[in-house]
């Protein structure tokens, strides 16, 4: 029976990895429901695929409650109150700004408005009109414009540049309303990438963030994009940036996981050699990320981001038990890399989870042996 499980897991893994041509980081194929390799997540207490929350990487019930209230009533005041009570320099406020902006952007896409119809996201427009000096609303508006640019226009086009220039102005306005707040400058990192800031301009922007929040993980992840080969840097510059951040990371900081994100951003187009994920570069980056999550505060909202990426690399590296350990912590939410790059994040996550379960059981694991 154990040999059968091994063969089944290997066949499933081979099928999955052979589907990696769909997009840059390797979209994986799905097994059909009822397939003998399809694991039942309920055996491990995992959420069903249809129950996975694609909005956030991890739980934030206060945010979910306020989002529901705002979208149901179209009254922005709950969002304003939540942001006002969230630490300005912390990771959670940045995540909440992104969530509110994303909600308004998606509403507008679903209901663009027309003759006699109110467009979606109207609550954000009212927020800016009724409370123009509110720093939280200004930050959300700036991030909203950034997301609109990436969602609705082609990078490099006139429309894209027009929206990004508007976002840049909104970032400046938000910064004036809260001089010590790093969020407007973190939002501008995406503007810098989209508009192609020179390295000198980008580094000046980055220094403003370091002055306000030197260990902000979200800011580092946004800055890493600029230094990547696909944008305005190179593999070497991205690795250098990530490794420097990890080297200066204070005790308990998730910045030690930055090299893993740099590796992910520079994965080859197609890689069918499983040994790549067991190579020295990948292994070192994975170990750094594992150390980071083990030493970080349990309530650090960026932990989920690191753990989701760890699942990807641990499954690819056939480190089944370690992948299962990460899944027990993050299961239920899939709004993080690498799943969000897929058109169906929940399905993408479910495939990797099924692979982890199959590999774990093929090597003698069971629900009874998995620590929780």
């Amino acid at each position: 029976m154990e040999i059968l499980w091994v063969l089944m897991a290997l066949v499933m893994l081979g099928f999955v990895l052979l589907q990696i041509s769909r997009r840059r980081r390797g979209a994986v194929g799905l097994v059909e429901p009822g397939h003998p390799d399809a694991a039942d997540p309920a055996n491990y207490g995992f959420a069903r695929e249809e129950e996975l929350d694609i909005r956030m990487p991890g739980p934030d019930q206060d945010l979910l409650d306020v989002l529901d209230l705002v979208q149901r009533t179209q009254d922005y005041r709950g969002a304003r109150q939540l942001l006002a009570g969230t630490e300005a320099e912390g990771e959670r406020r940045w995540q909440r700004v992104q969530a509110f902006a994303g909600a308004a952007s998606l509403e507008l896409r679903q209901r663009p408005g027309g003759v006699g119809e109110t467009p979606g996201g109207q609550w954000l427009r009212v927020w800016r009109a009724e409370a123009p000096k509110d720093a939280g609303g200004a930050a959300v508006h700036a991030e909203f414009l950034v997301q609109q640019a990436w969602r609705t226009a082609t990078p490099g086009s006139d429309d894209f540049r027009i929206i990004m220039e508007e976002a840049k102005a909104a970032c400046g306005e938000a910064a004036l309303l809260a001089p010590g707040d790093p969020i407007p400058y973190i939002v501008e990192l995406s503007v810098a990438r989209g508009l192609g800031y020179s390295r000198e301009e980008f580094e000046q922007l980055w220094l403003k963030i370091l002055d306000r929040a030197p260990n902000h993980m979200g800011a580092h992840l946004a800055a890493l994009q600029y230094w990547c080969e696909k944008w305005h840097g190179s593999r070497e510059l991205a690795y250098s940036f990530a490794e420097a951040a990890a080297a200066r990371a204070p005790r308990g900081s998730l910045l030690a996981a930055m090299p893993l994100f740099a590796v992910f951003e520079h994965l080859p187009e197609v890689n069918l050699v499983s040994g790549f994920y067991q190579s020295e570069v990948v292994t070192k980056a994975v170990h750094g990320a594992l150390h980071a999550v083990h030493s970080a505060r349990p309530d650090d909202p960026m932990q989920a981001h690191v753990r989701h990426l760890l699942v990807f690399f641990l499954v690819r590296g056939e480190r089944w038990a370690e992948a299962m350990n990460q899944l027990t912590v993050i299961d239920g939410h899939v709004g993080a890399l690498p799943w969000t790059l897929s058109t169906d994040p929940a399905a993408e996550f479910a495939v990797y989870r099924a692979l982890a379960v199959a590999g774990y059981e093929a090597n003698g694991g069971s629900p009874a042996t998995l620590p929780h």
Side-chain angles (χ1 to χ4, degrees), residues 7-17 31 35 37-39 351 354-355 358:
L7 291 174
M8 290 168 63
L10 290 176
V11 169
M12 185 177 180
L13 182 61
F15 174 76
V16 167
L17 294 183
V31 294
H35 187 283
D37 285 324
V351 167
L355 283 170

Side-chain angles (χ1 to χ4, degrees), residues 38-327:
D40 185 354
N43 291 340
Y44 291 84
F46 293 150
R48 297 286 183 179
E49 182 180 326
E50 61 271 19
E51 298 170 343
L52 295 170
D53 191 327
I54 66 173
R55 295 170 294 180
M56 298 185 301
D60 185 346
Q61 194 57 50
D62 288 342
L63 173 60
L64 289 179
D65 291 344
V66 172
L67 265 176
D68 177 69
L69 178 65
V70 169
Q71 294 188 302
R72 181 163 36 85
T73 65
Q74 291 295 295
D75 187 336
Y76 69 86
R77 286 176 293 182
R80 179 183 182 180
Q81 183 177 4
L82 183 65
L83 285 183
T86 307
E87 180 188 8
E89 296 79 15
E91 306 282 355
R92 196 172 297 281
R93 187 164 185 269
W94 167 230
Q95 291 187 3
R96 288 173 172 176
V97 165
Q98 288 181 299
F100 287 128
S105 179
L106 289 174
E107 278 187 39
L108 182 59
R109 185 170 70 176
Q110 293 163 358
R111 302 193 310 276
V115 178
E117 181 185 4
T118 301
Q122 183 66 18
W123 54 269
L124 179 55
R125 298 180 187 83
V126 175
W127 188 354
R128 295 297 294 130
E130 293 186 354
K133 301 300 183 182
D134 179 58
V140 172
H141 179 238
E143 174 64 15
F144 166 81
L145 291 170
V146 166
Q147 293 194 29
Q148 281 294 98
W150 292 110
R151 282 196 174 109
T152 65
T154 302
S157 67
D158 288 343
D159 287 346
F160 182 83
R161 178 167 291 276
I162 289 170
I163 301 173
M164 277 297 189
E165 290 288 359
E166 188 179 353
K168 181 178 180 180
C171 288
E173 182 179 350
L176 288 175
L177 291 173
D181 188 351
I183 300 298
Y185 300 104
I186 298 175
V187 175
E188 193 178 348
L189 290 173
S190 189
V191 176
R193 175 162 55 97
L195 292 180
Y197 281 22
S198 69
R199 290 183 182 177
E200 181 181 358
E201 290 174 313
F202 186 86
E203 286 169 351
Q204 290 176 352
L205 171 61
W206 183 238
L207 286 175
K208 293 176 183 178
I209 295 170
L210 292 181
D211 285 343
R212 292 161 175 81
N215 301 315
H216 199 288
M217 180 72 173
H220 279 79
L221 291 177
L224 176 64
Q225 291 292 317
Y226 177 90
W227 295 114
C228 285
E229 190 173 58
K230 62 187 175 182
W231 287 106
H232 309 293
S234 65
R235 180 190 301 266
E236 291 72 26
L237 286 170
Y239 277 28
S240 177
F241 175 80
E243 288 165 2
R248 68 171 182 269
R251 183 180 180 84
S253 170
L254 287 166
L255 290 177
M258 284 297 299
L260 188 64
F261 287 87
V263 170
F264 177 73
E265 292 295 341
H266 293 87
L267 290 178
E269 290 283 347
V270 177
N271 191 341
L272 302 181
V273 181
S274 61
F276 170 80
Y277 294 94
Q278 299 164 353
S279 65
E280 181 179 356
V281 170
V282 174
T283 299
K284 182 179 177 182
V286 167
H287 284 171
L290 286 169
H291 171 74
V293 296
H294 290 157
S295 59
R297 298 190 329 269
D299 63 344
D300 190 322
M302 293 303 293
Q303 269 217 45
H305 288 273
V306 180
R307 291 185 185 275
H308 279 288
L309 197 61
L310 273 169
V311 168
F312 173 88
F313 278 99
L314 292 170
V315 168
R316 290 291 185 94
E318 301 178 18
R319 296 167 64 167
W320 314 116
E322 291 171 289
M324 292 293 286
N325 288 336
Q326 300 304 318
L327 286 167

